[in-house]
Amino acid sequence: MIPTNDTHSGDPRARAAQTKRDRTRRALLDAADAAFASRGWLRTRVEDVAAAAGVSSATAYNHFPSKHVLIGHVYAPLISPLVVQAERDRAADRPVVPALTDQIRALARTSWRHRGLTAAFCSAVQDYTIRAGGPPAPADDMDPRTVAPVPSTILGLIEHGQGTGQLHPYPPALEISGAVVNLLLLRAINRPHEPHEHTAELLLTVLFGSLRPEILAASGLGGRPFRDGN
């Protein structure tokens, strides 16, 4: 007999229980999305999210053991499509400068469209970083930086560009990707209504000013090669 991966395929009660669990999880994520976006990090409580989702606090904590984990799972779907696109660009061996340019602009646009949620996520990241006392640990599934690894949207592309000689080897990919994403998240708090095109221009200038300064040099002292989507 060929084993099946669906351990619940022959058990209607198990399937019904899993369906209920999935619906509860979805309700919690939807309620948390609305709460974090409108009320921010500090004023949102897991208990309030549970009430809005129509479940008990105990049930909410069973799905998401902390507020940090909860916001990580709310924010993760926003970056998942960008990670997929980055992987496709690397697999297709797309030139890294346009691939990174598209990624940064997409990140800035996503951050702007969801600026309330992004600001709350940034606050969660700052709080957990202080608690952890250092960078994220891959095995720490309580860390919002691990649950929603925003730098991964550009990290692989930078590594690829440095490995193929399209980008300067310094700063290291891990360092510069983190610095660029931190700047992006901080602007969601400090400049929430600034057009995303302005944020993208700044991030691209910082990124390529470090890894491909020839682009900036070619535009002259007053040049702005990434202005307004150029």
Side-chain angles (χ1 to χ4, degrees), residues 168-189:
H168 288 220
Y170 188 85
L174 187 62
E175 297 289 340
I176 189 64
S177 63
V180 168
V181 166
N182 285 340
L183 178 57
L184 169 73
L185 295 178
L186 285 173
R187 287 175 72 82
I189 294 177

Side-chain angles (χ1 to χ4, degrees), residues 86-167:
E87 293 172 350
R88 289 175 178 169
D89 285 343
R90 291 201 308 274
D93 202 24
R94 185 185 179 195
V96 74
V97 171
L100 275 170
T101 299
D102 286 349
Q103 280 288 323
I104 291 293
R105 286 179 176 148
L107 272 172
R109 186 166 53 248
T110 297
S111 172
W112 185 82
R113 287 176 177 171
H114 304 274
R115 47 193 176 274
L117 182 59
T118 300
F121 178 74
C122 179
S123 297
V125 165
Q126 290 179 317
D127 183 62
Y128 201 92
T129 300
I130 294 171
R131 293 167 183 251
D140 186 0
D141 57 5
M142 301 291 286
D143 191 335
R145 298 172 296 174
T146 301
V147 179
V150 183
S152 65
T153 60
I154 58 175
L155 174 61
L157 287 171
I158 295 173
E159 290 176 335
H160 176 68
Q162 290 179 323
T164 57
Q166 297 177 68
L167 300 174

Side-chain angles (χ1 to χ4, degrees), residues 33-97:
D33 189 328
F36 284 125
S38 63
R39 300 173 63 181
W41 170 250
L42 289 177
R43 292 190 297 146
T44 297
R45 302 187 310 155
V46 174
E47 291 79 5
D48 297 329
V49 172
V55 301
S56 68
S57 297
T59 296
Y61 280 112
N62 183 53
H63 283 266
F64 304 102
S66 73
K67 192 165 73 163
H68 294 92
V69 173
L70 179 57
I71 197 169
H73 281 283
V74 170
Y75 205 78
L78 299 181
I79 65 170
S80 295
L82 303 184
V83 174
V84 170
Q85 184 58 52
E87 293 172 350
R88 289 175 178 169
D89 285 343
R90 291 201 308 274
D93 202 24
R94 185 185 179 195
V96 74
V97 171

